[in-house]
Amino acid sequence: MNRLGSATSPYLLQHAENPVDWWEWGPEAFAEARRRDVPVLISVGYSACHWCHVMAHQSFEDPAVAAVVNERTVPIKVDREERPDVDAVYMAATQATTGQGGWPMTVFATPDGEPFYCGTYFPRDHFVAVVEAVGTAWATQREDILAQGRAIVDVLAPASSGRGEITAGLLDAAVGQLLKGYDNLNGGFGGAPKFPPSMVLLFLLRHHERTGSAEALEMVRHTCEQMARGGMYDQLAGGFARYSVDAEWTVPHFEKMLYDNALLLRVYTQLWRLTGDRLAERVAAETAGFLMDRGGLRTPEGGFAAALDADTDGVEGLTYAWTPEQLVEVLGEDDGAWAADLFRVTKGGTFEHGSSVLQLAMDVDDAGPDVVRRWQDVRQELRLSRGTRPQPARDDKVVAAWNGLAVTALAEYAQVAEAMHADPGPTGPAGAPRGDVGPGRSVWGDARHGVLPGVAGLLADVHIVDGRLRRVSRDGVVGAPAGVLEDYGCVAEAFCAMHQLTGEGRWLTLAGQLLDVALEQFTDGEGGFFDTAADGEALVVRPRDPSDNASPSGVTALCGALTAYAALTGETRYREAAEAALATTAPLIAKYPRFAGWASAVAESHLVGPWEVAVSGADVEELLRTAWRHAPGGSVIVAGAPDREGVPLLADRPAMGGAATAYTCKGFVCDRPVTDAAELIQRLTGK
């Protein structure tokens, strides 16, 4: 009997009609394996995974294959996004035994959960042969299999990676290593497949602000331009795909993940703030719009969905690819030919079957008004036409950590956009009125006053149960999986961002409560942290991984939240906890800076301070926008009436002479207050 029909995970529900007798992860499945005296098959994937769908169609939907699986194993289906702890343990086993990993992940384990044979995607016949062989070995070579499982678990037991001092020299050296591995032609790091290095780019931006490094800034600017002009960026509706299958950002793997778009929104927002770059402004506005669009990732309950699938009707890229003939059919001969040149749609195609993924060949952001209008009209027509095509499925579960990332990014975007559009310099495309750039103004207004309170409220009211954070919800109903460390860190930082955006004490209180749970339940007692709670479900090993990959690691997410909370409250024990945890990432920063992007970004904030800015008084807008515009990345900024309840940074900070007054501190050391915007700029930038 298949038991997935009542699951909350869309990925598990996709398998609810399989002839495989799937179980959800839980003690009941392992008890059944003991009762039947068979191994368990742990199949791990996620909704947007192309090859997960391929293996499902080839094997799990085939009654003959299912009969072998059901006879030989107790099969367990796991959504890696819902249970990142389970995924982490068995991915480590897969990598340790095969030298590689990925999804779908296919693991055979004992009824005690000890893995003894691991792999990823198996074609149908190969998969059947493996299941048969495992079943035979379990019956005839039991002691060898049990010994193999114990040996793998021994290898997986996480050891402390050591500690080090966070210094300017460490971060300077990390930038030097990044320069050596930088792709000077295409931007980014390494070859194909190429992933957006969002957290590394945020580190480089903060490093540039601290040191003035032109090389760090140029790596960010060049990479952001290349990504935004390539096929990985949706040239019609905004938003980034997961990665590029080539080194040139031409053809994406088409799924769109919430965490990628949230992190990249922060990158483009900060690049725009620092340089006034028009492409960065546009991409930030469009990415924010994609997140908040009901046709993008926004859910009816007010949260953000996890992902859009790579496939449409089982065909990868079906929604997004175009031929020259299709462009002409929609736009007519003249505009169709012009669009083919603009978007690099060729007769031979850049993708499959003579089709092309849209890229941007022209610098439209600095073009004349006639070109801009034509480009906008063409985009609109193509976007409307694409909307009539079959659309990719959406994984509409709400993941706490990723929604936290999105809240922080959108709050930051709303602040920067308001500050930039109030600034006297031009910010929009040539020919567009300043401050009215396509969807820009409505995007930041919607974010600040409509979307963000709803998302943060969902996290606070649905995902926090009895003081503890739950990992996922769907349709407004919270799921059973407990929050992991990244959930606590990302959501706590989001609540700190909401406190700064709204001036409401509720958000800071909630952030502190989550951080207190994290410090109590996830600590290793030596300054570091595990990824699961001490009182949580015991797996064969307790996972911990300090490396930043597609999203911040649990420990670095927590460091960011602790740093912000300490700066907002003045409570030094949270700063001390952040410093101790950051020290555990120093060896990783030294050896592998590409996998320590967020650790390095938070470390930059520690070296700078971070800045704490409190604008006190009644008419605070000018100074507040000045702080949003010029305070270095990682700063905390609040504004409101003196001694506003629930806002510690405004305590005992009067408006001098009745005028709005900015109080600036860093590292808990304060300068004299200022009432002049120009003086505040000089204070924050040294210029």
Side-chain angles (χ1 to χ4, degrees):
M1 180 180 68
N2 187 311
R3 295 163 178 82
L4 301 184
S6 60
T8 57
S9 160
Y11 174 64
L12 267 58
L13 289 172
Q14 290 171 0
H15 295 269
E17 300 300 323
N18 291 169
V20 175
D21 292 339
W22 291 116
W23 293 67
E24 288 193 67
W25 178 274
E28 298 83 3
F30 291 95
E32 176 67 5
R34 293 187 193 95
R35 186 189 71 79
R36 289 180 51 199
D37 191 25
V38 295
V40 295
L41 163 63
I42 304 170
S43 175
V44 185
Y46 60 103
S47 180
C49 167
H50 171 71
W51 287 102
C52 298
H53 295 308
V54 172
M55 189 165 177
H57 296 322
Q58 290 179 343
S59 296
F60 303 144
E61 296 173 6
D62 185 323
V65 176
V68 176
V69 170
N70 296 337
E71 177 187 358
R72 295 288 200 167
T73 72
V74 169
I76 301 174
K77 177 59 73 173
V78 178
D79 182 342
R80 66 172 295 263
E81 297 170 350
E82 191 173 67
R83 291 302 304 261
D85 50 342
V86 173
D87 176 67
V89 168
Y90 292 102
M91 181 57 70
T94 301
Q95 291 171 333
T97 56
T98 70
Q100 60 186 6
W103 300 275
M105 177 166 55
T106 306
V107 174
F108 295 88
T110 71
D112 291 327
E114 295 179 335
F116 59 83
Y117 186 85
C118 307
T120 52
Y121 164 77
F122 291 105
R124 178 194 182 280
D125 293 345
H126 189 183
F127 178 63
V128 171
V130 168
V131 176
E132 293 278 21
V134 164
T136 299
W138 181 258
T140 62
Q141 303 173 48
R142 180 75 57 88
E143 289 306 315
D144 291 341
I145 285 179
L146 295 176
Q148 172 79 353
R150 288 190 293 268
I152 292 174
V153 169
D154 289 343
V155 170
L156 298 182
S160 173
S161 59
R163 301 171 64 86
E165 187 178 359
I166 299 294
T167 64
L170 174 70
L171 299 179
D172 292 346
V175 172
Q177 285 195 59
L178 291 170
L179 273 168
K180 292 178 182 178
Y182 185 69
D183 183 340
N184 289 293
L185 179 62
N186 301 301
F189 303 91
K194 186 173 278 185
F195 292 82
S198 51
M199 288 169 285
V200 169
L201 298 180
L202 287 167
F203 160 50
L204 291 171
L205 286 171
R206 292 188 183 182
H207 184 79
H208 163 74
E209 288 193 273
R210 180 175 63 84
T211 67
S213 169
E215 292 174 315
L217 180 61
E218 179 56 20
M219 280 193 280
V220 179
R221 188 211 62 76
H222 180 227
T223 299
C224 283
E225 179 180 8
Q226 295 299 109
M227 289 193 299
R229 291 184 183 279
M232 200 181 75
Y233 183 67
D234 187 338
Q235 301 296 339
L236 300 184
F240 288 87
R242 177 70 195 95
Y243 64 87
S244 172
V245 301
D246 52 75
E248 295 79 30
W249 311 106
T250 300
V251 177
H253 197 33
F254 288 91
E255 69 260 40
K256 291 181 178 177
M257 309 301 298
L258 174 58
Y259 52 76
D260 283 320
N261 284 281
L263 289 166
L264 286 166
L265 173 57
R266 293 190 78 174
V267 173
Y268 282 89
T269 295
Q270 291 301 321
L271 179 62
W272 173 35
R273 180 181 68 83
L274 287 171
T275 67
D277 186 277
R278 288 171 170 168
L279 178 145
E281 175 192 13
R282 174 175 61 82
V283 172
E286 291 173 357
T287 303
F290 165 70
L291 290 177
M292 297 192 298
D293 186 0
R294 295 290 187 188
L297 293 182
R298 184 99 182 276
T299 69
E301 296 73 37
F304 295 114
L308 296 181
D309 281 7
D311 296 357
T312 303
D313 292 345
V315 180
E316 189 173 11
L318 178 66
T319 301
Y320 302 103
W322 296 82
T323 64
E325 294 76 18
Q326 289 171 328
L327 294 179
V328 170
E329 181 180 351
V330 174
L331 301 170
E333 288 289 344
D334 289 346
D335 280 349
W338 186 80
D341 289 338
L342 176 67
F343 293 124
R344 293 180 178 166
V345 177
T346 65
K347 289 186 177 180
T350 59
F351 182 46
E352 296 175 350
H353 311 299
S355 66
S356 295
V357 181
L358 301 189
Q359 303 174 73
L360 189 60
M362 182 187 297
D363 186 2
V364 296
D365 298 286
D366 290 311
D370 291 342
V371 172
V372 170
R373 279 192 292 269
R374 190 176 191 185
W375 162 67
Q376 290 173 338
D377 290 344
V378 162
R379 287 180 87 200
Q380 176 70 0
E381 289 298 317
L382 293 177
R383 185 164 55 244
L384 291 173
S385 176
R386 193 178 77 179
T388 66
R389 296 177 172 185
Q391 299 297 304
R394 187 171 78 169
D395 184 334
D396 57 359
K397 69 175 177 289
V398 172
V399 178
W402 304 353
N403 275 254
L405 291 173
V407 166
T408 301
L410 283 168
E412 199 166 271
Y413 171 74
Q415 293 165 334
V416 169
E418 184 169 333
M420 294 291 285
H421 285 290
D423 192 274
T427 58
R434 184 181 60 79
D436 186 17
V437 188
R441 181 170 295 279
S442 64
V443 168
W444 88 70
D446 287 350
R448 182 173 185 181
H449 301 295
V451 173
L452 284 172
V455 184
L458 180 70
L459 291 172
D461 300 335
V462 174
H463 281 253
I464 297 178
V465 180
D466 297 328
R468 301 295 286 271
L469 197 56
R470 297 281 183 89
R471 172 74 175 175
V472 295
S473 69
R474 185 167 184 255
D475 297 330
V477 179
V478 73
V484 295
L485 187 60
E486 71 160 336
D487 295 304
Y488 282 84
C490 292
V491 174
E493 185 172 22
F495 288 162
C496 288
M498 288 299 296
H499 172 72
Q500 295 172 72
L501 188 68
T502 66
E504 296 176 11
R506 174 198 185 201
W507 302 116
L508 193 62
T509 299
L510 285 169
Q513 291 170 352
L514 293 181
L515 292 174
D516 286 342
V517 171
L519 291 174
E520 176 186 343
Q521 287 290 332
F522 292 83
T523 179
D524 68 358
E526 299 177 350
F529 290 86
F530 291 100
D531 289 325
T532 55
D535 62 359
E537 177 186 355
L539 303 176
V540 290
V541 295
R542 191 176 177 190
R544 61 188 300 168
D545 183 359
S547 58
D548 298 316
N549 288 296
S551 59
S553 70
V555 67
T556 61
L558 185 66
C559 285
L562 288 167
T563 301
Y565 185 78
L568 288 166
T569 62
E571 295 191 43
T572 57
R573 73 182 184 94
Y574 296 96
R575 168 75 180 213
E576 291 165 358
E579 290 174 345
L582 268 181
T584 68
T585 72
L588 185 67
I589 295 172
K591 291 183 179 179
Y592 307 108
R594 281 179 58 188
F595 299 98
W598 190 237
S600 302
V602 176
E604 286 285 353
S605 294
H606 277 239
L607 292 184
V608 170
W611 280 100
E612 307 149 23
V613 183
V615 183
S616 175
D619 186 15
V620 299
E621 285 76 13
E622 182 184 12
L623 289 178
L624 178 59
R625 289 168 177 162
T626 299
W628 285 343
R629 174 74 174 80
H630 296 284
S635 301
V636 298
I637 303 165
V638 299
D643 298 305
R644 180 168 179 173
E645 184 178 358
V647 187
L649 279 187
L650 291 173
D652 301 318
R653 285 175 167 167
M656 307 296 290
T661 304
Y663 292 81
T664 57
C665 311
K666 55 180 179 178
F668 307 114
V669 178
C670 299
D671 297 308
R672 65 175 180 82
V674 300
T675 57
D676 178 71
E679 192 172 357
L680 179 58
I681 293 172
Q682 196 281 328
R683 175 77 54 77
L684 295 173
T685 66
K687 300 174 183 176

